[in-house]
Amino acid sequence: MITPTVTITLLGIVTVLIALGFGERVLERMRLNTTAAIILLLAMVGAHFLPELAVFPGFRVHLGALILSGIVTYLLTTTSAQEALRGLLVSVITGAIIWLSDKLLPIDPESSWFTIDPLFVSGIVAGLTAYVLGRSRRSAFCGAILGLLFVDIANIIELSRLGTGQTLEIGGGGLLAAMALNPLIAVGIAEVIGEIRERLHRDKVLTSGSDDNE
Amino acid sequence: MSDRSKMLTSLAIAILVVLVSLPAAAEEYEDLDEWLNVGEYFQMVDQEGNVILETGRVLAEGDEYLTSQNELYRVVEVDNDKRIARAELVEKVELRVVPYAELLQSAGLILAGNIKTEPRGLIGVYHTHNAESYVPTDGTESIYGEGGIHKVGEAFANSLRERGVEVNHSDNLHLPHDRGAYRRSRETALELLAKNPDAIFDIHRDAAPRDAYALQVKDEWVTSVQFVVGRQNQNLGVNREFAQSMKALADQMYPGLVKGIFFGRGNYNQDLSPLAMLVEAGAHTNSREAAERGISLFAEVVDLYFYGTAEASSVDEGEAEGSKAASRSIIGLVVFVLAGAGVFYVINAGGFGAALERIKNLFGNRLR
């Protein structure tokens, strides 16, 4: 009895909203037009239905994760060097924080101070980091995906060193659902904080760089 | 080399260094990946200081626990240094067995009257924390790979199979044994759900003193089980009804077998299905054999709940509490999303007037 997953449901809702014309300013700031955004979102939905590919025995790659990586590559190569660098920096910081929270906090989603479910850490961290580093929605989007991918790669290195015999997977093991969900959270956080802050400082000139004003 | 290439090359090197150094650092931190150190427990106490729950979980304000006597307590104050959580009695809950068909209706998974007729269905079983083991039998509380918990899961599966239930027991590993395990086990839960099971069970063992789970049934020592329901999931209403129904039925069959229901933070992948259950089968201080015997008794409860006479209860008694709970969860989620979107839209537009103007323009343009 599959109920629609949160990820696919949210992606569907966002796709419909964008098709109806909502979020135009967000897309504008991400330098995407409505058609490109819809194609991108549909690709993210479609990625869930792709299989894993056995590259060699004991090592598999989820084709959906490759699609998401392709989207990030597209977003990073069609912007300025500064923005691409910012996106990668957000990704590294996000990956490091996810990894540290995975290792240092209780194994169940319970902690006396860090109550964010491990599923949502990526989006929240990427959104906040991207905003702090330059109010960049595009960096937030890329950081949420790449951050998780970096953690996946770090885990693969750890497992291969320990030799547990577990099949090594990139994009498998639930990562894909998180990879598709968290960019929405990240962009949402960057956008909400951005809007509130920019409204509060409406009369002042915000000078730091971002995808908004490049 | 251009500035852009230099920057990208530097960053690529930095990423490589981070990726290589993180796993090495993991070895230094491997003793921090448990909740509390082995042998250290959090205590939930009532206002008179009586211990309600002893667990390796880190308790926090807002956590709730339904005791074996069906008293619901909520944590109101936590002393992290002493590891004591003070709880207040919320209410004495009158449990009832909500029939399976009614739960399905509550979750919106079937229409009224459309009750399945197959005698036996499919149950999914998996383990998010593969390493969990039992010290008296396995020699250690954690085995990096397939721990003792896999054998307990197999005992559960075999007990169900003996009763004619088809079981899909996944031995997928979700290592490393850290907080990211639930992110990785999400895929396993989805794989199991894709086979259209009646329910899926994520079998764990707790970290608690031996007596916390020790139970004598007839002349045999077994371990009791405990359910965990995540409060950060949209299925909470039906999950709660499901857990309470199973406990109500178990109370009739084997009093004390279900020692309680813990309502904690997180979603434990229960957002994927309203009939996803996390079960703690004993603690690391109990023997694995006792845990296997206990979970086998629990399998009888599962069999009776899904495929026994308990399911024959009427489904046309009007809207049940479970249905109301599910409706509240769904309506709450929709209201929250719509309210958030509305507030954001108004902020984005620069005020209520501007927002209304934008909506008028938007629909004006679309309709033109």
Side-chain angles (χ1 to χ4, degrees):
Chain A
M1 58 189 65
I2 291 186
T3 56
T5 67
V6 173
T7 306
I8 293 176
T9 308
L10 273 178
L11 285 169
I13 291 171
V14 172
T15 308
V16 171
L17 287 176
I18 285 176
L20 287 171
F22 287 85
E24 279 174 354
R25 285 184 61 186
V26 181
L27 295 180
E28 205 176 288
R29 285 166 173 172
M30 289 182 73
R31 295 186 158 200
L32 289 171
N33 59 36
T34 305
T35 311
I38 289 173
I39 292 171
L40 187 148
L41 286 163
L42 290 178
M44 287 167 74
V45 172
H48 283 78
F49 300 100
L50 293 176
E52 278 189 328
L53 187 70
V55 180
F56 51 81
F59 185 75
R60 303 165 73 87
V61 176
H62 198 294
L63 292 176
L66 289 182
I67 298 258
L68 294 186
S69 304
I71 290 170
V72 171
T73 307
Y74 167 77
L75 290 174
L76 290 181
T77 53
T78 54
T79 188
S80 65
Q82 192 187 4
E83 179 59 21
L85 185 65
R86 190 183 295 125
L88 289 171
L89 195 59
V90 170
S91 307
V92 173
I93 293 171
T94 304
I97 291 177
I98 300 169
W99 187 87
L100 286 172
S101 71
D102 279 357
K103 292 297 172 196
L104 300 180
L105 293 172
I107 55 172
D108 270 351
E110 290 149 12
S111 155
S112 53
W113 58 276
F114 194 88
T115 57
I116 303 169
D117 193 277
L119 187 63
F120 307 120
V121 174
S122 165
I124 293 169
V125 171
L128 293 174
T129 313
Y131 189 79
V132 169
L133 288 184
R135 309 200 311 277
S136 167
R137 281 70 168 166
R138 187 181 283 242
S139 296
F141 188 95
C142 297
I145 293 177
L146 282 185
L148 278 166
L149 199 63
F150 289 160
V151 172
D152 217 22
I153 294 169
N155 286 338
I156 282 175
I157 295 170
E158 183 182 341
L159 289 172
S160 57
R161 283 161 58 115
L162 292 169
T164 58
Q166 177 175 340
T167 300
L168 304 177
E169 295 171 295
I170 287 188
L175 183 75
L176 185 67
M179 280 172 85
L181 174 66
N182 281 287
L184 303 183
I185 297 172
V187 173
I189 287 174
E191 182 63 19
V192 168
I193 295 176
E195 276 301 320
I196 292 170
R197 184 169 172 269
E198 285 150 23
R199 290 284 163 199
L200 290 173
H201 297 81
R202 192 181 293 175
D203 299 331
K204 298 174 187 172
V205 178
L206 295 170
T207 53
S208 62
S210 77
D211 51 354
D212 307 358
N213 50 19
E214 277 170 5
Chain B
M1 193 182 270
S2 68
D3 286 348
R4 179 180 177 149
S5 301
K6 279 180 189 169
M7 278 194 293
L8 290 176
T9 308
S10 310
L11 198 71
I13 292 169
I15 292 169
L16 196 65
V17 169
V18 170
L19 287 176
V20 170
S21 61
L22 285 183
E27 289 169 13
E28 292 177 28
Y29 289 114
E30 65 184 7
D31 60 334
L32 293 173
D33 66 5
E34 285 292 343
W35 303 331
L36 297 171
N37 291 327
V38 177
E40 294 178 350
Y41 310 113
F42 236 98
Q43 286 187 329
M44 188 187 290
V45 297
D46 65 13
Q47 285 171 310
E48 281 77 46
N50 301 313
V51 177
I52 308 162
L53 172 69
E54 250 183 320
T55 177
R57 294 177 181 282
V58 178
L59 302 177
E61 269 182 47
D63 286 349
E64 292 180 351
Y65 188 65
L66 184 77
T67 66
S68 59
Q69 301 304 311
N70 299 327
E71 290 168 333
L72 181 67
Y73 285 88
R74 182 177 298 136
V75 174
V76 291
E77 188 186 354
V78 175
D79 184 334
N80 280 306
D81 294 331
K82 293 180 180 171
R83 294 183 181 127
I84 288 179
R86 296 184 201 291
E88 283 180 353
L89 178 65
V90 178
E91 61 177 327
K92 170 89 175 172
V93 181
E94 290 296 327
L95 296 190
R96 76 175 185 104
V97 182
V98 179
Y100 175 47
E102 197 175 298
L103 263 187
L104 291 180
Q105 284 182 53
S106 305
L109 295 170
I110 61 165
L111 299 174
N114 186 15
I115 302 169
K116 57 185 276 179
T117 53
E118 307 97 278
R120 289 289 188 275
L122 176 69
I123 296 290
V125 180
Y126 69 109
H127 310 281
T128 292
H129 294 147
N130 311 94
E132 289 177 339
S133 300
Y134 299 82
V135 175
T137 319
D138 298 322
T140 174
E141 42 88 35
S142 182
I143 296 171
Y144 216 91
E146 284 192 15
I149 196 65
H150 279 252
K151 289 178 178 158
V152 173
E154 194 54 25
F156 178 55
N158 285 338
S159 183
L160 284 168
R161 287 182 188 121
E162 284 166 12
R163 289 167 174 76
V165 181
E166 191 186 345
V167 181
N168 189 359
H169 182 200
S170 169
D171 57 2
N172 284 358
L173 296 177
H174 311 108
L175 303 170
H177 186 53
D178 61 23
R179 188 178 171 85
Y182 280 101
R183 221 170 37 231
R184 292 185 282 276
S185 70
R186 202 169 174 80
E187 190 69 21
T188 300
L190 285 169
E191 270 175 28
L192 293 173
L193 287 168
K195 308 277 188 203
N196 202 27
D198 290 321
I200 58 171
F201 291 87
D202 185 5
I203 310 289
H204 294 246
R205 64 113 179 97
D206 201 355
R210 190 177 60 176
D211 292 347
Y213 279 86
L215 176 73
Q216 197 168 13
V217 177
K218 295 173 187 165
D219 294 331
E220 210 166 34
W221 283 99
V222 304
T223 67
S224 52
V225 299
Q226 179 175 278
F227 303 145
V228 176
V229 175
R231 290 185 279 123
Q232 287 177 3
N233 92 81
Q234 83 281 8
N235 293 319
L236 173 60
V238 184
N239 282 146
R240 181 186 284 264
E241 289 292 332
F242 179 38
Q244 292 186 168
S245 295
M246 297 293 284
K247 183 176 185 306
L249 189 57
D251 286 350
Q252 293 168 22
M253 296 171 67
Y254 298 107
L257 181 62
V258 176
K259 74 186 279 286
I261 306 174
F262 180 75
F263 299 95
R265 289 157 292 173
N267 70 42
Y268 303 97
N269 291 331
Q270 287 168 336
D271 59 310
L272 297 175
S273 167
L275 294 174
M277 175 81 84
L278 194 158
V279 179
E280 305 269 21
H284 70 297
T285 45
N286 299 115
S287 76
R288 196 184 66 232
E289 285 84 354
E292 289 173 6
R293 289 192 292 271
I295 199 97
S296 297
L297 296 180
F298 176 60
E300 290 179 34
V301 180
V302 173
D303 177 44
L304 182 63
Y305 180 74
F306 285 99
Y307 316 113
T309 52
E311 71 184 0
S313 309
S314 63
V315 290
D316 55 355
E317 292 172 351
E319 195 175 27
E321 279 182 37
S323 179
K324 290 175 188 167
S327 303
R328 278 199 298 272
S329 299
I330 293 164
I331 292 169
L333 186 68
V334 170
V335 168
F336 178 77
V337 170
L338 289 179
V343 169
F344 176 69
Y345 195 76
V346 170
I347 292 171
N348 190 291
F352 282 105
L356 281 174
E357 196 59 36
R358 279 180 69 174
I359 291 170
K360 278 182 194 167
N361 290 339
L362 178 70
F363 283 102
N365 291 337
R366 301 266 162 205
L367 294 173
R368 216 170 279 150

